[in-house]
Amino acid sequence: MVMAKSLTIAKVSNHIPEDLAFSVLYKLPLKSLKRFGCVSKTWSLLFQNPNFLSKFRNNFISIPHSYYNDTSLLLNQVMYNHNNSQVYSSMHSLFGEKYENRLKLEFPNPFQQEDPFFNILCCGSITGILCLSQHDKVILWNQTTDEFKVIPPSSAESSVPPHWDAFTFVYGFGYDHVSDDYKIIRDVSFYEITDQNRLPSDVQWEDVWSTSQTYYEPLWEIYSLRCNSWRKIDVDIPRDWEVSAENGLFMDGICHWFSSCKNNGEDEHFLVSFDLTNEVSFATLIPLDLDIDVNEKCNLVERQLIMLNGSIASISWYLHTSIFHISVLGELGVKESWTKLFVFGPLPYIEYPIGAGKNGHIFFSKKDGGPPVYFDLITQMIEELGGVKGAHYSQVIIYKENLLSIGGINH
């Protein structure tokens, strides 16, 4: 009798009411939830439960994340004329609850240009140092102290004959806390000049043809601010020429960017992650998170990498549409840990995302070229950035102030 009673108590104590379990589970990190899916069938289907998904999303967005401590938003814009040449570029720091306060910033001008313009790598901006590029030139800029440093060329760029061009592409930038160093990773490829008018004056066209069988292998390089030099690294990283230099992230010593390749004739998309300390890379496959539509099956899938409340996220959409899908990565290297949390749209007059802020704000450019807008994932409302002009190209960047002197590292 006593034994039967104790077994009954044990059985009751092992049962957790579903509503109580949900009230705990929706507050857990995505990585933990994915792992707990093996506990029961109900838990494995949590994200198919609309009630649970709604609670998890709201909690995910509303809880402040340390990633955004002491940060502000930078809005970079470029306007072109009908000849597709640059008319002006501008950068503003945005702050305030609805980004109503703006401060115009001036780009550094190391080359004494009339209107300097640089591509800005989103990757690493959270460190307080911005990595800027202009053609084959790279500049590090501390916007807080207005100090900049022009990065020297590498020996690889000058190792080929004068009738060859070196093409460089920066993929990542960030801070290595182990060596207390800022690093840049880039790809270098070489192309033979086939236009006679572009040849240096001391090179004869006949000499070019006599060496036309020569081929120079592409390579990967890493720059160390502490050493102020580039060096070749032996890594197996796929090269994707469709990747955007602005579409990258840096978090916890690792640079991330999107890439793709062909596998059995099919496009395979994945997240490339490069550890700045160990100088190794690994990939996380990305599933097709869009709803398959027979009307869109021939349309191109667009993706952008964003940081969503301190988590790596992918926002994807079919080209020329305005329905957006956001999936969040729970664990690096695990394809199954991508979880679709948000689907919204169609959004009228919206063209494509230009970045993400905190509090679940996703920024977009407009089809009519008007001022950028942001979409609030919680309220599902669209707000326009007041007092900001429209532009042909806009980019929103998370930036953290840093009073460290660039020269303090480079010594």
Side-chain angles (χ1 to χ4, degrees):
M1 184 74 176
V2 175
M3 182 178 293
K5 184 177 181 180
S6 63
L7 288 173
T8 301
I9 294 174
K11 187 174 181 180
V12 171
S13 62
N14 286 336
H15 173 70
I16 303 176
E18 185 177 274
D19 56 346
L20 178 59
F22 279 15
S23 67
V24 175
L25 291 172
Y26 82 81
K27 298 177 182 179
L28 295 179
L30 188 58
K31 178 179 178 179
S32 301
L33 274 178
K34 283 293 185 177
R35 292 184 172 183
F36 289 163
C38 62
V39 173
S40 70
K41 184 176 181 179
T42 301
W43 286 18
S44 69
L45 301 175
L46 283 174
F47 288 100
Q48 296 180 28
N49 182 315
N51 182 43
F52 177 84
L53 182 58
S54 177
K55 288 184 176 181
F56 182 84
R57 285 189 302 212
N58 289 336
N59 183 74
F60 178 83
I61 292 298
S62 60
I63 300 299
H65 195 282
S66 59
Y67 182 87
Y68 302 95
N69 290 348
D70 304 317
T71 61
S72 61
L73 285 184
L74 299 183
L75 174 65
N76 180 35
Q77 294 184 293
V78 182
M79 180 66 74
Y80 300 96
N81 61 18
H82 63 282
N83 293 323
N84 222 22
S85 59
Q86 181 186 329
V87 177
Y88 75 84
S89 60
S90 67
M91 179 183 286
H92 289 84
S93 176
L94 307 178
F95 45 96
E97 186 175 342
K98 294 189 175 183
Y99 315 105
E100 65 275 10
N101 300 317
R102 297 171 306 284
L103 177 65
K104 192 175 189 309
L105 306 175
E106 298 294 337
F107 276 112
N109 195 3
F111 311 117
Q112 303 305 307
Q113 298 164 312
E114 184 177 344
D115 187 12
F117 167 71
F118 298 93
N119 292 313
I120 304 177
L121 195 72
C122 288
C123 189
S125 62
I126 196 68
T127 67
I129 308 294
L130 295 175
C131 184
L132 315 178
S133 65
Q134 185 184 97
H135 305 300
D136 60 341
K137 299 180 177 66
V138 181
I139 296 95
L140 296 183
W141 178 38
N142 186 329
Q143 182 270 315
T144 306
T145 63
D146 202 27
E147 181 187 10
F148 67 86
K149 176 177 178 56
V150 179
I151 304 304
S154 72
S155 58
E157 295 176 73
S158 58
S159 64
V160 294
H163 59 277
W164 281 75
D165 266 346
F167 177 79
T168 61
F169 191 93
V170 175
Y171 279 81
F173 164 71
Y175 176 69
D176 176 5
H177 70 281
V178 175
S179 60
D180 185 27
D181 196 5
Y182 288 87
K183 295 180 178 179
I184 303 169
I185 178 171
R186 73 176 182 182
D187 168 76
V188 184
S189 297
F190 304 98
Y191 297 91
E192 190 172 19
I193 300 174
T194 57
D195 183 354
Q196 189 171 355
N197 297 321
R198 292 185 56 232
L199 287 175
S201 58
D202 59 341
V203 176
Q204 300 299 316
W205 186 246
E206 293 76 16
D207 298 333
V208 173
W209 282 107
S210 66
T211 59
S212 60
Q213 300 302 314
T214 306
Y215 177 72
Y216 295 91
E217 292 283 348
L219 55 92
W220 288 92
E221 291 184 319
I222 195 164
Y223 169 81
S224 160
L225 177 61
R226 184 170 291 281
C227 299
N228 192 32
S229 62
W230 295 92
R231 58 183 170 82
K232 180 182 176 181
I233 55 174
D234 185 19
V235 289
D236 183 20
I237 304 177
R239 294 171 170 86
D240 184 356
W241 299 117
E242 295 183 1
V243 71
S244 169
E246 296 83 14
N247 192 10
L249 296 175
F250 171 78
M251 187 179 189
D252 298 332
I254 301 177
C255 298
H256 308 275
W257 63 86
F258 279 153
S259 190
S260 63
C261 67
K262 290 285 186 182
N263 186 9
N264 295 325
E266 296 290 329
D267 285 332
E268 202 167 58
H269 298 266
F270 46 90
L271 176 76
V272 176
S273 303
F274 182 81
D275 190 315
L276 290 176
T277 299
N278 301 320
E279 297 183 3
V280 296
S281 68
F282 50 96
T284 307
L285 285 170
I286 305 172
L288 180 64
D289 52 1
L290 297 175
D291 298 327
I292 298 177
D293 187 334
V294 292
N295 297 319
E296 301 292 349
K297 64 181 180 180
C298 295
N299 214 339
L300 293 175
V301 174
E302 298 284 333
R303 293 185 187 276
Q304 183 161 329
L305 194 60
I306 60 173
M307 186 66 72
L308 189 61
N309 205 29
S311 293
I312 296 170
S314 165
I315 179 168
S316 54
W317 68 100
Y318 285 113
L319 188 63
H320 306 308
T321 67
S322 59
I323 298 178
F324 300 91
H325 304 245
I326 297 181
S327 294
V328 176
L329 180 62
E331 185 173 358
L332 285 172
V334 181
K335 174 186 176 181
E336 294 74 20
S337 71
W338 288 101
T339 303
K340 186 189 292 188
L341 291 186
F342 300 93
V343 179
F344 55 94
L347 301 179
Y349 316 119
I350 293 304
E351 191 167 21
Y352 56 83
I354 60 174
K358 55 185 178 180
N359 304 323
H361 293 168
I362 311 296
F363 292 80
F364 292 89
S365 65
K366 294 175 66 178
K367 292 179 180 178
D368 61 5
V373 300
Y374 66 91
F375 179 80
D376 190 317
L377 289 173
I378 295 179
T379 65
Q380 302 284 292
M381 300 293 291
I382 297 178
E383 295 276 354
E384 189 174 277
L385 288 178
V388 176
K389 295 181 180 179
H392 288 108
Y393 170 82
S394 297
Q395 175 188 21
V396 169
I397 303 166
I398 296 286
Y399 177 78
K400 179 175 289 190
E401 288 192 355
N402 187 345
L403 296 176
L404 175 70
S405 168
I406 296 177
I409 291 287
N410 171 220
H411 58 86

